[in-house]
Amino acid sequence: DDIEGSRPRGATHKHARANNPVDPLVPNYKLPSYELPPDATPKFIRDTLDVSDIDGTRSKPLYRFPTRENWEVRDIEGAKAGWKPRHKRVQKQ
């Protein structure tokens, strides 16, 4: 008995439930709970990836001039529906 914990405690474990009776039909358990701390949003200092203020960091445009609409066929003679050559149109009139 001179060293604490060298002998089993015995009866204290058996009667642990006697102090806290549990009704099996309506159990009342103390479940562990946890509350989330408030979100600590970091203070925005600066965007370190933004290099727009440095000259020469932007790429050149791919095309020097604006591209034209290549699906338009107004400039191609005979590409419209119902088109007839000039000599056929004159005979009909």
Side-chain angles (χ1 to χ4, degrees), residues 31-38:
L31 298 176
S33 63
Y34 179 74
E35 290 184 18
L36 291 173

Side-chain angles (χ1 to χ4, degrees), residues 3 8 15 26 28 31-32 47 51 59 61 65 69 72 75 83:
I3 301 173
H15 301 291
V26 185
N28 185 11
L31 298 176
D47 186 9
V51 292
S59 60
F65 303 106
E69 298 170 349
E72 293 287 330
D75 57 340
W83 177 85

Side-chain angles (χ1 to χ4, degrees), residues 5 9 18 21-22 28 32 34-35 41-42 45 47 50-52 61 68-69 78 82 84 87:
R9 297 193 183 176
V22 176
N28 185 11
Y34 179 74
E35 290 184 18
T41 55
I45 298 173
D47 186 9
D50 183 22
V51 292
S52 62
R68 63 185 178 98
E69 298 170 349
K84 293 184 180 177
H87 66 280

Side-chain angles (χ1 to χ4, degrees), residues 77-92:
E77 189 174 342
K80 285 187 173 182
W83 177 85
K84 293 184 180 177
R86 241 184 236 159
H87 66 280
K88 294 249 180 181
R89 279 185 280 168
V90 173
Q91 287 178 355
K92 221 174 190 188

Side-chain angles (χ1 to χ4, degrees), residues 53-73:
D53 57 336
I54 304 171
D55 291 333
T57 57
R58 290 192 178 166
S59 60
K60 293 179 182 177
L62 186 59
Y63 299 107
R64 202 164 148 198
F65 303 106
T67 57
R68 63 185 178 98
E69 298 170 349
N70 58 0
W71 58 86
E72 293 287 330
V73 291

